[in-house]
Amino acid sequence: MPVRADGLPGTAGSEGGGDPAPPPGLVVLGHFDQSPGYAVNRPRGSASWLVTWTTGGRGRLWQGGTTAAAGPGDLVVLAPGVPHGYAVEPGARHWRFWWAHCQARPGWTGWLRPYGSGDGVYVVPSVPAALHDRVAAAFRRMHADARWTGTGAPPETGTGDAQVAVAHGSAARELALCALEEIVVLAAAGARPEAPRPGVDARIRRAEELIAADPGARHTVRSLATDVALSPSRFAHLFSRQVGQSPMRALREARLRHAARLLESTDLPVERVAAASGFASPFHFNRAFRERYGKPPGAYRSRR
């Protein structure tokens, strides 16, 4: 059987003279070390997102009218639906890189948006060297989890070149996407640490971090105030003035975002999504979710 330019079985040139992309909905990934002359061209783009992490040599990616160079420590992400291609950088001896095709989770775009270069290209350059081992380990874990059949333990992560892996089962896909989400967050946060917001007290920022870290926890104004060493009244006043909404309103929004993510990425029953997101009753959850997203949880999941 012929092998496509991205390492997948198929017939080259089936996409208007270019290289075919993986079908939408699949999580496909691999680790390549390519020589000069290697190139992939997709005149119709891809139905999935493409994530690349360069570990050696240099590559070049283009999408629409935007071009991005990729060297060691660079994460380059291409959004779907735009003509694109990639190749070993002219003059480079090789290009060693991890790549993954997948459907991005909604939360990823918030991390990637500051690195947008146009035409759906996101370049996260010069991720700190201290994070490289962690990112590489996440890719290796992603590759192992993608091959898990659901029987026994997932395969051991390797250290050498990784062949192409396709996550077929729902558990394998979810585990692989969790590893990829870790990669996106590590790279985006590490390359551009979040700057303190002027005028926001460090104790209020800490409360926001506590809410974001576990929105389903039984937070109250009193518990959050205690965690940041403020009286409940002083905490509520500072939070509302500096954040622009009350602590409980911010908590409700965080819980709804968390619930939306669970609906998008898991098969949990709606009742369990409600409980995991901190809502005391499914009825309250359904009403709040409809108000926030314009449709009930079940319909939201079906649309996704």
Side-chain angles (χ1 to χ4, degrees), residues 36 50 53 61 64 92 116 123 156 172 197 205 234 268 273 301:
L50 173 63
W53 166 257
L61 302 94
V123 181
E156 293 294 327
R197 284 172 292 160
R205 291 199 302 271
R234 179 61 177 163
L268 287 173
V273 170
R301 168 178 277 165

Side-chain angles (χ1 to χ4, degrees), residues 46-232:
S46 171
S48 57
W49 290 70
L50 173 63
V51 179
T52 68
W53 166 257
T54 298
T55 58
R58 294 193 66 82
R60 179 165 294 272
L61 302 94
W62 57 92
Q63 176 156 286
T66 300
T67 301
D74 294 339
L75 186 79
V76 180
V77 181
L78 305 182
V82 183
H84 74 238
Y86 46 94
V88 176
E89 173 82 13
R93 297 174 59 185
H94 71 123
W95 182 24
R96 187 171 65 248
F97 63 106
W98 283 97
W99 57 269
H101 282 276
C102 68
Q103 296 299 318
R105 288 174 169 168
W108 298 1
T109 54
W111 290 101
L112 294 172
R113 190 175 297 114
Y115 303 96
S117 301
D119 296 315
V121 178
Y122 301 89
V123 181
V124 186
S126 304
V127 175
L131 295 175
H132 288 193
D133 288 346
R134 175 76 178 268
V135 172
F139 266 113
R140 291 195 296 270
R141 187 173 70 253
M142 180 184 178
H143 186 266
D145 289 341
R147 294 176 286 132
W148 187 41
T149 62
T151 302
E156 293 294 327
T157 58
T159 56
D161 285 345
Q163 297 179 347
V164 175
V166 181
H168 289 292
S170 58
R173 286 195 300 272
E174 182 64 19
L175 287 170
L177 285 172
C178 285
L180 190 53
E181 180 164 13
E182 177 184 350
I183 290 161
V184 170
V185 173
L186 281 171
R192 182 181 294 185
E194 184 177 355
R197 284 172 292 160
V200 177
D201 189 288
R203 294 166 294 183
I204 301 305
R205 291 199 302 271
R206 175 57 181 159
E208 290 182 294
E209 291 169 357
L210 291 170
I211 291 172
D214 190 4
R218 295 184 177 181
H219 297 299
T220 63
V221 170
R222 182 173 295 278
S223 70
L224 290 168
T226 300
D227 288 334
V228 298
L230 287 169
S231 70

Side-chain angles (χ1 to χ4, degrees), residues 1 13 23 38-39 49 59 67 98 101 151 157 165 217 245 263 267 285-286:
M1 177 179 290
Y38 167 81
W49 290 70
T67 301
W98 283 97
H101 282 276
T151 302
T157 58
Q245 59 183 341
L263 290 168
D267 296 325
F285 170 61
N286 273 271

